[in-house]
Amino acid sequence: MKSDLGNLISQMCDRTIERSNKETVAYNAYRKIDEIKDENLLPILFDIVNNELDHNKRDKAYYIISKIALIKSDSKSLNFLLQRLNKEKSKVIIENLLNIISSFEKPKETDLGNIFNFLNNKSKTIRYCAIRALKNCNSNECENKLIDILENSTNHYDLLYALQTLFSSGSERSLSKIKEFVNHSKQEISASALGAIYNIAREKELPLYKEQLKKGKNKFTALEGVVNFGNDEVIPNVIKRIKELISKKRNIEVIGLYGYTELIIAMNFLIKFPEYKAVSEIYYLLEAKKDFLWESEKEWLTNNTSNKVE
């Protein structure tokens, strides 16, 4: 089996075009990897990495390890990859390792020291990868490192990636610092801050979501916060947002995490309150503005007209 894996890794490095299907040897090798799921291969792959002198082949072995290990977020594989961080010298391989590690769940006992060592790296791309590698952590030390970045860095992407990482690795301890960036002048930083707050604080920050929606800032996340954690008291806020959405033709159909546009998210909330006259009236407004709706919104309207109160 070790020789089979070694041959596969060699094929992954081969850019020769195969006559049979006019694809590279590497392309066909990567397709084979998609079918590999046997966890018993992991120790063999660890051994290949530890003994392989060709850094390009080690890089391919790391890729195979990730494809198998990430199915169950295997902790032994995570620890192996973390240990390999201080053994690799190639900038590209270090970045690839950090990117792989970012996808793993990291239990509280995980030693993250080798990631921390790269947080102040002179290479900005390694530094960015190291920040993102701290995703999905359950560690006070990790959270402290990310807060330190928010407190001390002025680099746009340091701040952006730290906020995005706190989405999954932050707790209420970091909320006060994250909130400082909600009204940041750069939209993606502001949006990432509100996203992290939403994921950490949930219903506790309903007033902030309402405030953001009123300001017209980070509208998608703010609307989700309002409809997911609000009651009938927020109906006016939601209707106001719908009227803004259909006031003119939109250029881009923005789709949320669960496949819905902002308007559909808003309407899925409003149909819970059919007894409200304002909710009924919004149906007629949508019918009148049908030319301004995306096809998915028109379909929603067709499928939900029975909820309209006459």
Side-chain angles (χ1 to χ4, degrees):
M1 185 57 71
K2 185 174 182 178
S3 61
D4 291 339
L5 285 170
N7 289 333
L8 182 59
I9 289 168
S10 295
Q11 291 169 18
M12 293 169 72
C13 301
D14 190 344
R15 298 297 173 183
T16 305
I17 302 292
E18 291 187 330
R19 291 183 179 180
S20 58
N21 57 14
K22 296 183 180 180
E23 301 287 357
T24 63
V25 174
Y27 175 83
N28 291 313
Y30 273 94
R31 290 180 66 183
K32 294 176 185 175
I33 291 166
D34 290 336
E35 301 171 6
I36 298 177
K37 298 178 182 178
D38 186 357
E39 293 178 15
N40 294 316
L41 298 178
L42 289 171
I44 302 172
L45 287 161
F46 297 165
D47 186 57
I48 289 174
V49 167
N50 286 330
N51 292 284
E52 179 57 64
L53 298 179
D54 186 324
H55 72 277
N56 195 29
K57 289 183 178 180
R58 287 199 306 276
D59 191 38
K60 302 301 185 281
Y62 291 137
Y63 177 81
I64 301 175
I65 290 169
S66 73
K67 296 295 285 187
I68 300 172
L70 280 170
I71 295 171
K72 295 183 179 178
S73 203
D74 179 63
S75 59
K76 288 183 179 179
S77 297
L78 170 61
N79 290 328
F80 175 77
L81 297 172
L82 286 167
Q83 290 166 13
R84 291 297 308 180
L85 274 174
N86 65 0
K87 298 181 184 299
E88 295 293 349
K89 305 302 178 186
S90 163
K91 176 176 177 288
V92 171
I93 293 182
I94 291 170
E95 290 175 2
N96 288 344
L97 270 174
L98 288 166
N99 287 333
I100 289 169
I101 289 167
S102 71
S103 298
F104 279 85
E105 294 289 335
K106 302 168 190 72
K108 194 171 185 177
E109 66 274 10
T110 306
D111 184 354
L112 302 169
N114 285 345
I115 300 178
F116 296 156
N117 291 338
F118 289 108
L119 290 176
N120 295 308
N121 197 276
K122 291 181 180 179
S123 165
K124 61 184 180 182
T125 53
I126 287 181
R127 192 170 71 247
Y128 300 157
C129 289
I131 295 171
R132 293 195 297 261
L134 295 175
K135 290 179 179 178
N136 306 308
C137 283
N138 179 18
S139 161
N140 287 342
E141 187 177 11
C142 165
E143 189 171 12
N144 289 339
K145 295 287 186 182
L146 294 168
I147 292 171
D148 285 344
I149 292 170
L150 297 183
E151 288 179 340
N152 299 307
S153 179
T154 57
N155 178 281
H156 176 90
Y157 290 102
D158 282 354
L159 298 175
L160 177 65
Y161 296 139
L163 289 165
Q164 291 177 348
T165 300
L166 282 165
F167 178 93
S168 61
S169 298
S171 70
E172 291 190 0
R173 294 173 56 247
S174 53
L175 278 177
S176 61
K177 179 54 63 175
I178 295 172
K179 284 182 181 179
E180 294 178 14
F181 294 87
V182 168
N183 293 310
H184 196 278
S185 58
K186 298 295 183 181
Q187 173 60 30
E188 60 182 347
I189 289 179
S190 173
S192 296
L194 189 64
I197 292 168
Y198 176 89
N199 201 48
I200 294 168
R202 313 299 286 174
E203 70 279 357
K204 295 178 182 177
E205 291 295 339
L206 177 58
L208 176 61
Y209 311 142
K210 291 170 67 175
E211 176 191 323
Q212 289 281 291
L213 197 59
K214 184 177 180 180
K215 286 182 177 180
K217 195 170 178 65
N218 303 313
K219 296 181 284 287
F220 207 121
T221 302
L223 178 68
E224 288 186 318
V226 167
V227 302
N228 286 333
F229 305 121
N231 53 27
D232 59 346
E233 292 181 358
V234 303
I235 288 176
N237 307 79
V238 177
I239 288 178
K240 179 176 181 290
R241 180 57 188 149
I242 290 175
K243 289 179 177 179
E244 291 171 353
L245 286 167
I246 60 175
S247 64
K248 59 183 179 180
K249 190 79 172 177
R250 289 160 285 164
N251 295 323
I252 300 173
E253 184 177 12
V254 180
I255 305 295
L257 183 62
Y258 299 107
Y260 297 130
T261 65
E262 244 187 293
L263 189 144
I264 293 176
I265 290 170
M267 289 304 298
N268 279 336
F269 171 76
L270 291 181
I271 60 175
K272 299 175 185 177
F273 308 97
E275 69 277 13
Y276 282 77
K277 183 180 178 182
V279 173
S280 179
E281 289 173 348
I282 207 71
Y283 276 94
Y284 295 104
L285 182 59
L286 291 175
E287 290 284 359
K289 296 278 191 173
K290 245 185 176 178
D291 289 345
F292 289 177
L293 304 184
W294 299 112
E295 288 304 315
S296 62
E297 295 166 346
K298 292 176 184 177
E299 183 180 350
W300 185 97
L301 191 60
T302 299
N303 294 336
N304 288 274
T305 50
S306 60
N307 294 300
K308 178 171 62 176
V309 177
E310 300 294 341

